[in-house]
């Protein structure tokens, strides 16, 4: 079995999860507490990847990042970034594609936290940042973990977006799901089976570990 | 001295509701705020704490503006030096009792721990505490930051009578010791009589009456008929107030009275008790 697609898949999932974790906390906090009129718009945009076919997202990213688009041109000229058929492109696409899987659990965790916890911390002179770090996040560990796991798993399972924007370049964009498709197309079922089975076992073990920890450490919050 | 003059309008499901309050509080006083549900009592406390912003008006504490709509002053809650105990104990579940206290202040807290009687709880997780213990810790945490003002938003309303009584004792002790200007929202008339030296009644968004609790509460009950006669079997002191125990038939009734009333009564007196609106009140009949 060629390990390259597997390693690439986990690299991608890891990087995407880290990036999304950092982006999603402020976004989720804003969504959980804001009363702004633009909130429904942002919420709808964040949730779009849940309902859109991955090919739609992939198609527009392909158009947006392509050499013929002003954005693609700009990224290439200024930063030397080539987002089509590259690992970097996969990261950007996956971040957009998996955004709701990180934002939604954190948002609902923060929204369900009693409001007076935050207020009590403010009255003690704590800044919003310190309150987030020391009061809010430690009390929604289980939501954070859910967001991390869902994002990681969702990125591993990605296919359509990768197909559209990444293609099938070994060591660059050929992730496990693409490798399986590739092997099946060349009627190489036993190789496809190895990749598929490996993914099943590893993802099951990750999920099992996480839910085991989750069930043991985090009891539902009371008052 | 604290000056408060605030206006705020709300749109509720039924109609719009306007809060228009203007009052002063003496430094070191314990003021009870009473009024029906939805009268705006909690909103008033939240505006003083800076958790909600009035539409217009001013709030001055210790000759410092916390809020002034014309001068465009609106101090953040972080800068107002307010200790607040909410109806639901807002203890941080991820911390122990001790950590909750230390989150507020790095000073030595021995005095406060002793005053609120939570020595045995310090290492406990807050999620393992009973309702009464939680509010005890919440009170300790609120005073640990040495606030200029203590706001209590019905902190005892969810507790059973025995626990509430014990916490009232603690509040009396804390107030006597620290002399903190305190504002307490409560529905409980006996609580007001036991704790407060001043009282505001809010009705339909306005202050309808202010004064001493004994006068306001007793006054509202003058229409009550003194229909239960019995014997005064004991008088005991409780802070600024006294408890008269009256035996009516085989029922023992406890009546909260003030110092003046207590001076006029003697154990063994025949008394009559009225129980119309709120608490029982008492008068000597022979």
């Amino acid at each position: 079995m060629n390990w390259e697609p597997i390693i690439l898949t986990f690299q991608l999932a890891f990087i995407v999860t880290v990036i999304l974790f950092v982006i999603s906390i402020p976004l989720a906090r804003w969504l959980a507490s804001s009363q702004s009129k633009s909130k429904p718009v942002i919420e709808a945009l964040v949730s779009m990847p849940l309902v859109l076919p991955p090919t739609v997202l992939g198609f527009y990213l392909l158009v947006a990042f392509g050499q013929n688009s002003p954005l693609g041109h700009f990224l290439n000229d200024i930063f030397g970034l080539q987002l089509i058929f590259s690992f970097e492109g996969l990261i950007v696409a996956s971040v957009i594609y998996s955004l709701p899987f990180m934002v939604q659990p954190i948002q609902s965790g923060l929204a369900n936290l009693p409001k007076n916890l935050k207020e009590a911390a403010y009255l003690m002179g704590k800044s919003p940042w310190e309150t987030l770090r020391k009061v809010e996040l430690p009390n929604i560990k289980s939501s954070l973990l859910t967001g991390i796991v869902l994002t990681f798993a969702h990125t591993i399972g990605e296919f359509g977006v990768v197909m559209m924007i990444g293609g099938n370049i070994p060591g660059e964009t050929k992730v496990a799901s693409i490798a399986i498709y590739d092997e099946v197309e060349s009627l190489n079922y036993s190789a496809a089976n190895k990749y598929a089975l490996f993914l099943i076992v590893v993802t099951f073990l990750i999920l099992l570990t996480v839910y085991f920890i989750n069930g043991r450490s985090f009891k539902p919050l009371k008052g | 001295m604290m000056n408060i003059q605030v206006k705020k309008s709300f749109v509720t499901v039924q109609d719009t509701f306007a809060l228009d309050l203007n009052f002063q509080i003496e430094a070191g006083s314990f003021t009870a705020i009473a009024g029906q549900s939805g009268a705006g009592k909690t909103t008033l406390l939240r505006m003083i704490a800076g958790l909600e912003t009035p539409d217009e008006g001013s709030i001055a504490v210790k000759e410092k503006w916390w809020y002034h709509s014309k001068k465009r002053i609106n101090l953040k809650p972080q800068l107002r030096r307010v200790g607040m105990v909410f109806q639901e104990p807002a203890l941080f579940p991820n911390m122990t009792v001790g950590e909750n206290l230390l989150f507020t202040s790095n000073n030595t807290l021995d005095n406060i721990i002793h005053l609120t009687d939570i020595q045995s709880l310090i290492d406990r997780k807050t999620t393992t505490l009973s309702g009464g213990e939680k509010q005890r810790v919440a009170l300790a945490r609120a005073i640990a930051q040495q606030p200029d003002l203590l706001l209590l938003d019905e902190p005892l309303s969810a507790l059973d009578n025995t626990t509430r009584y014990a916490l009232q004792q603690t509040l009396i002790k804390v107030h006597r010791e620290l002399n903190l200007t305190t504002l307490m929202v409560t529905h409980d008339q006996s609580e007001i009589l036991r704790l407060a030296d001043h009282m505001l009644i809010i009705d339909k968004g306005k202050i309808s009456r202010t004064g001493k609790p004994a006068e306001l509460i007793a006054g509202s009950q003058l229409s009550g008929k003194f229909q239960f006669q019995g014997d005064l079997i004991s008088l005991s002191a409780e802070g600024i107030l006294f408890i008269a125990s009256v035996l009516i038939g085989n029922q023992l009734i406890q009546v909260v009275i003030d110092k003046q009333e207590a001076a006029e009564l003697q154990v063994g007196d025949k008394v009559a008790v009225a129980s119309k609106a709120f608490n029982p009140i008492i008068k000597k009949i022979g």
Side-chain angles (χ1 to χ4, degrees):
Chain A
M1 183 164 96
N2 179 7
W3 288 97
E4 206 172 58
I6 302 269
I7 294 169
L8 200 63
T9 304
F10 283 98
Q11 266 176 351
L12 179 67
F14 178 76
I15 295 171
V16 167
T17 306
V18 171
I19 294 175
L20 271 180
F21 187 75
V22 175
I23 296 176
S24 298
I25 288 173
L27 184 57
R29 193 189 208 232
W30 183 80
L31 287 173
S33 58
S34 167
Q35 316 214 316
S36 155
K37 283 188 179 133
S38 58
K39 179 178 152 180
V41 179
I42 306 292
E43 267 185 313
L45 283 175
V46 168
S47 304
M48 290 270 277
L50 288 176
V51 284
L52 272 185
T55 42
V56 172
L57 188 66
F59 172 68
Y60 282 115
L61 287 175
L62 187 66
V63 173
F65 295 152
Q67 278 303 303
N68 298 328
S69 87
L71 178 64
H73 217 77
F74 170 81
L75 289 173
N76 199 10
D77 285 358
I78 307 292
F79 302 104
L81 257 184
Q82 164 83 21
L83 292 183
I84 300 297
F85 305 119
S86 71
F87 188 65
E88 291 78 14
L90 278 196
I91 292 175
V92 174
S94 305
V95 162
I96 297 172
Y97 185 49
S98 291
L99 186 64
F101 292 86
M102 188 67 95
V103 170
Q104 287 188 350
I106 301 179
Q107 182 187 343
S108 86
L110 288 173
N112 287 329
L113 214 53
K115 194 171 82 177
N116 60 18
L117 290 185
K118 194 158 95 176
E119 293 175 345
Y122 287 175
L123 290 174
M124 289 169 203
K126 305 299 174 186
S127 68
W129 167 239
E130 196 173 359
T131 304
L132 177 72
R133 240 167 4 106
K134 294 190 177 158
V135 175
E136 292 175 87
L137 294 185
N139 286 309
I140 58 158
K141 278 183 195 155
S142 134
S143 305
L144 295 176
L145 196 62
T146 306
I148 291 169
V149 172
L150 285 180
T151 304
F152 195 85
H154 189 243
T155 311
I156 288 178
E158 218 171 76
F159 179 75
V161 178
V162 183
M163 199 67 174
M164 295 296 283
I165 196 174
N168 185 3
I169 305 166
E172 183 74 24
T173 64
K174 187 177 179 179
V175 293
S177 59
I178 303 284
I180 294 169
Y181 180 73
D182 222 22
E183 299 292 357
V184 171
E185 276 224 305
S186 27
L187 298 177
N188 198 352
Y189 279 28
S190 89
N193 184 33
K194 279 181 193 153
Y195 286 127
L197 202 61
F198 185 82
L199 278 190
I200 288 178
V201 172
V202 170
T203 46
F204 177 73
L205 286 179
I206 294 175
L207 289 173
L208 185 68
T209 316
V210 163
Y211 286 119
F212 184 70
I213 298 172
N214 211 2
R216 284 182 39 155
S217 334
F218 310 123
K219 299 283 179 277
L221 273 183
K222 277 187 230 138
Chain B
M1 186 75 153
M2 172 174 164
N3 278 290
I4 295 171
Q5 187 186 349
V6 286
K7 288 186 185 179
K8 190 173 174 76
S9 315
F10 310 85
V11 181
T12 63
V13 185
Q14 291 101 14
D15 55 350
T16 57
F17 172 75
L19 203 57
D20 184 355
L21 305 169
N22 187 347
F23 61 94
Q24 274 132 37
I25 301 271
E26 295 290 329
S29 68
F30 195 123
T31 303
I33 303 170
Q36 296 192 321
S37 297
K41 307 183 296 287
T42 294
T43 308
L44 169 64
L45 289 198
R46 291 177 60 81
M47 287 193 291
I48 295 171
L51 299 172
E52 269 176 55
T53 310
D55 295 341
E56 58 179 287
S58 61
I59 298 171
V61 176
K62 285 193 173 173
E63 283 154 20
K64 189 175 175 206
W65 294 115
W66 281 7
Y67 173 78
H68 198 299
S69 53
K70 294 222 174 74
K71 297 186 185 202
R72 298 190 169 276
I73 297 171
N74 187 10
L75 285 194
K76 288 189 214 161
Q78 282 92 336
L79 301 174
R80 293 198 183 197
R81 297 182 58 83
V82 161
M84 188 158 178
V85 183
F86 299 85
Q87 192 167 0
E88 296 289 324
L91 301 178
F92 305 130
N94 57 316
M95 304 178 194
T96 63
V97 169
E99 286 164 346
N100 263 276
L101 296 183
L102 288 172
F103 192 62
T104 308
S105 157
N106 291 321
N107 303 336
T108 46
L109 299 168
D110 294 350
N111 178 33
I112 279 153
I113 291 168
H114 185 74
L115 202 57
T116 50
D117 204 12
I118 54 169
Q119 297 90 326
S120 60
L121 306 177
I122 290 303
D123 294 323
R124 296 261 298 275
K125 272 267 174 202
T126 57
T127 42
T128 66
L129 303 178
S130 71
E133 288 169 336
K134 279 184 183 163
Q135 286 302 33
R136 206 169 267 283
V137 174
L139 173 66
R141 193 179 65 174
I143 57 177
Q145 54 179 321
Q146 299 174 312
D148 287 338
L149 190 62
L150 180 62
L151 303 178
L152 308 170
D153 187 6
E154 295 191 55
L156 313 183
S157 63
L159 306 175
D160 63 75
N161 283 335
T162 322
T163 315
R164 188 184 311 167
Y165 185 84
L167 263 152
Q168 287 170 353
Q169 290 293 102
T170 305
L171 279 171
I172 291 172
K173 213 162 74 178
V174 164
H175 188 246
R176 204 177 283 160
E177 188 88 2
L178 304 178
N179 204 25
L180 257 176
T181 311
T182 306
L183 275 164
M184 180 183 208
V185 168
T186 172
H187 283 289
D188 184 340
Q189 306 268 341
S190 64
E191 191 160 282
I192 297 173
L193 286 170
R194 290 195 66 203
L195 299 175
D197 49 39
H198 194 76
M199 180 177 180
L200 305 173
I201 300 177
I202 301 182
D203 186 30
K204 299 193 181 94
K206 295 204 160 42
I207 291 178
S208 65
R209 272 180 297 174
T210 64
K212 292 205 181 308
E215 289 164 13
L216 289 186
I217 291 175
S220 67
Q221 292 172 338
L222 282 179
S223 54
K225 285 188 180 137
F226 290 90
Q227 52 189 331
F228 304 106
Q229 300 190 359
D231 300 304
L232 181 65
I233 58 167
S234 79
L235 272 172
S236 55
E238 288 268 347
I240 56 163
L241 295 162
F242 292 80
I243 306 268
S245 302
V246 182
L247 194 63
I248 300 168
N250 56 3
Q251 286 259 29
L252 188 68
I253 292 179
Q254 296 200 312
V255 186
V256 180
I257 56 178
D258 64 20
K259 198 175 172 180
Q260 205 182 337
E261 288 175 289
E264 291 164 5
L265 291 168
Q266 266 187 337
V267 173
D269 280 350
K270 284 261 179 245
V271 291
V273 176
S275 67
K276 197 183 172 195
F278 315 110
N279 269 328
I281 52 170
I282 194 171
K283 94 172 173 193
K284 188 172 171 177
I285 54 171

